[in-house]
Every structure is written in C-alpha cells, then in structure tokens.
Amino acid sequence: MITADYIAIGTLLVFILLGFTVGFGKGLKFFTSGTFGKILSVVACYFLFGVVLAIPLVQSLLDRFITFLRGKENWFFNVLITIRIDLIVLGVALFAAVQIARMIIVAIIGGIMGINNPFIKFINRVLGIVLFLCVLAVITLIFFQAVKWIGGETDASVRQAISGSVVKLDFIYDNNPLLYMVESIKAGFSS
C-alpha cells in the first residue's frame, strides 16, 4: 500500500464516522442549504430545462409571450426577443420552482429522519453514511478533474503519487466519469 491509500482509507473512515454521527436528515439539510444548495438547483435546472421546454403547454405559453412582444413593435421589445427573453424567463421560473421543491423535500425528509424511533434512527444513520460517502466521491472526482485541468507538472506528480494504489485511485484518476460528463455538457453548449 502506498501513502495515498492510507490517506484515502483514513478519509473514508472519517466520512463514515461523520455520516453516522450527523445522520441523513441533518447532513442533507447541510449539503442542500446556502450556496451549495443554489448550485445543486442550477445543476438540476440544467438537466430539467430541455424536458420542461418540450412540454406542449410550456411551448404554447412561450410562443404567446413572444407574439405579445412582437405586437408591441418597439426597439426595447425587439432587443428582448433577440436575447431570447422567453427562455430566460423559463429558466428563472424553473430555478424558483426547483428551489421551492428542494426546500420542501429537505424539510419533509428532515422531519421524517428526526422521528424518535429506533428503526428510523438506524435508517437515518445508515443513509447518513451513504450520503457522506457520496459527497466524498464527488469531492474526489472534482479534485481529480481540477488536477487534470491544471495539467503539466501537477498532473504528473499526482498521477505518480497514486500510481499502484491498492484502492485503485489511479484507475479512478484515469477514468474519471466527471470528465465524460463535463465533455457532454460542453458538447451540449456548442450545438
């Protein structure tokens, strides 16, 4: 085992202990509030935008909105049409809806996980461990992706430090699924 393996196992144990101690309800509330919660909402909106836009009722409302703006025959409304104000309004409305849904869902789950029942407490702790392990996985993937983006000597030294890892850190580094997701998002923006 290399040093990186010991660090990975130690970090894994710390996150397991944190998940067991904090639990799912409080952990979910922590990870979905504040700036991080807004970032999660933006990511959810990115994936939901195309689905919502394909709904015939939504498309009909957006068409009526554009028709209304064109009927005004004003330079300001023409600028709004040019910048696709209809899609901007849809994005803002979707973000607001996702924010409200996120807050409601987190409050309900937090309330359920806060019930003073041995079975619920057990489930809360087990799901807390799963949540914290997922957060650790995401942090690790983001760190590895950032190092790849930096490249050069940093990339080479990190790759060398984790080479031959028993817990397969080198495999995760070379096959980071975040890389494929980022590439597909870039491809979506370019088309």
Side-chain angles (χ1 to χ4, degrees):
M1 284 183 47
I2 60 174
T3 305
D5 288 332
Y6 292 112
I7 293 170
I9 291 170
T11 306
L12 185 72
L13 292 174
V14 166
F15 271 73
I16 289 172
L17 182 63
L18 279 171
F20 182 79
T21 305
V22 173
F24 184 72
K26 289 180 183 174
L28 187 65
K29 184 176 180 183
F30 173 77
F31 288 119
T32 60
S33 62
T35 304
F36 194 68
K38 287 179 181 61
I39 291 170
L40 288 175
S41 293
V42 168
V43 170
C45 287
Y46 172 78
F47 289 110
L48 290 173
F49 191 83
V51 174
V52 172
L53 189 59
I55 297 172
L57 175 65
V58 173
Q59 192 61 51
S60 172
L61 289 172
L62 292 177
D63 290 341
R64 284 187 203 168
F65 182 55
I66 291 297
T67 303
F68 169 76
L69 292 178
R70 283 195 178 119
K72 294 298 180 185
E73 296 182 13
N74 185 324
W75 69 270
F76 178 72
F77 293 113
N78 288 336
V79 169
L80 292 179
I81 292 169
T82 304
I83 66 170
R84 296 299 309 254
I85 192 68
D86 56 334
L87 297 181
I88 294 170
V89 168
L90 176 62
V92 170
L94 184 60
F95 178 76
V98 167
Q99 284 281 87
I100 292 168
R102 178 183 54 83
M103 289 187 281
I104 290 170
I105 291 168
V106 169
I108 290 171
I109 291 173
I112 291 170
M113 291 300 162
I115 294 174
N116 193 11
N117 177 311
F119 178 72
I120 297 293
K121 284 183 177 182
F122 173 76
I123 295 296
N124 186 31
R125 297 199 188 265
V126 169
L127 290 177
I129 292 170
V130 171
L131 174 66
F132 275 78
L133 289 178
C134 288
V135 168
L136 176 61
V138 168
I139 290 170
T140 302
L141 293 177
I142 290 172
F143 172 75
F144 283 169
Q145 185 59 43
V147 169
K148 284 253 190 199
W149 280 338
I150 292 169
E153 191 176 310
T154 305
D155 180 30
S157 64
V158 168
R159 181 65 180 92
Q160 181 183 6
I162 61 175
S163 182
S165 169
V166 174
V167 295
K168 300 296 182 193
L169 292 173
D170 50 354
F171 178 80
I172 296 168
Y173 185 76
D174 292 335
N175 300 292
N176 189 345
L178 189 59
L179 174 66
Y180 303 112
M181 189 169 95
V182 169
E183 292 303 321
S184 69
I185 290 171
K186 279 184 189 176
F189 279 126
S190 66
S191 58

